[in-house]
Amino acid sequence: MPLEAGLLEILACPACHAPLKEQAAELICTGQDCGLAYPVRDGIPVLLVDEARRPA
């Protein structure tokens, strides 16, 4: 289930404060030096750095 566009516009990466983009079941940080991927569980973004996946 995609997130509402208005919600996605106000969300930011908790680590570097860059905007996030939705990809599959994750929100990906658009920051060049960051790139963390945050999970979306049951339609709720989990914006915890400890829960984020590091870039490959």
Side-chain angles (χ1 to χ4, degrees):
M1 171 188 275
L3 295 174
E4 292 182 26
L7 177 62
L8 195 54
E9 288 178 13
I10 63 170
L11 292 178
C13 175
C16 71
H17 308 290
L20 299 170
K21 67 178 179 179
E22 191 170 14
Q23 182 177 344
E26 294 181 318
L27 293 177
I28 310 294
C29 176
T30 59
Q32 288 183 345
D33 296 331
C34 186
L36 291 174
Y38 298 93
V40 177
R41 296 186 186 128
D42 298 323
I44 301 170
V46 181
L47 298 178
L48 299 171
V49 175
D50 292 341
E51 294 282 328
R53 180 177 57 80
R54 298 279 174 199

